[in-house]
Amino acid sequence: MTPHRDPISGGRWVFRCDHCDHCYRTAAQSKLQAELYAQMNGWAIHPTTLCPGCATLFTGEFAPLAHADG
């Protein structure tokens, strides 16, 4: 889910994980600043929004494994 402002939480930017439904809220002034804060806190925001836990799980599934010759 793309970040959006939540009037109930004082106008904070809200990120919701597309996989597990965890949320991250930040009082950033702009969408770009909110995205940077989310990324600094371990959130993956492109192409889908994933919390740090889900981002770790999905990175492990799609990242190629290192191959050691020898």
Side-chain angles (χ1 to χ4, degrees):
M1 172 179 269
T2 59
H4 64 279
R5 287 208 183 255
D6 182 14
I8 296 173
S9 65
R12 292 187 172 145
W13 287 93
V14 178
F15 294 80
R16 184 178 303 273
C17 181
D18 291 333
H19 183 70
C20 73
D21 218 25
H22 278 122
C23 288
Y24 172 75
R25 289 176 177 82
T26 180
Q29 297 298 316
S30 68
K31 181 179 177 182
L32 176 61
Q33 188 179 33
E35 288 176 345
L36 292 172
Y37 287 160
Q39 287 178 329
M40 288 184 343
N41 283 287
W43 283 71
I45 56 170
H46 295 291
T48 60
T49 303
L50 297 171
C51 71
C54 290
T56 301
L57 289 173
F58 287 113
T59 299
E61 286 183 17
F62 298 114
L65 298 174
H67 186 297
D69 291 329

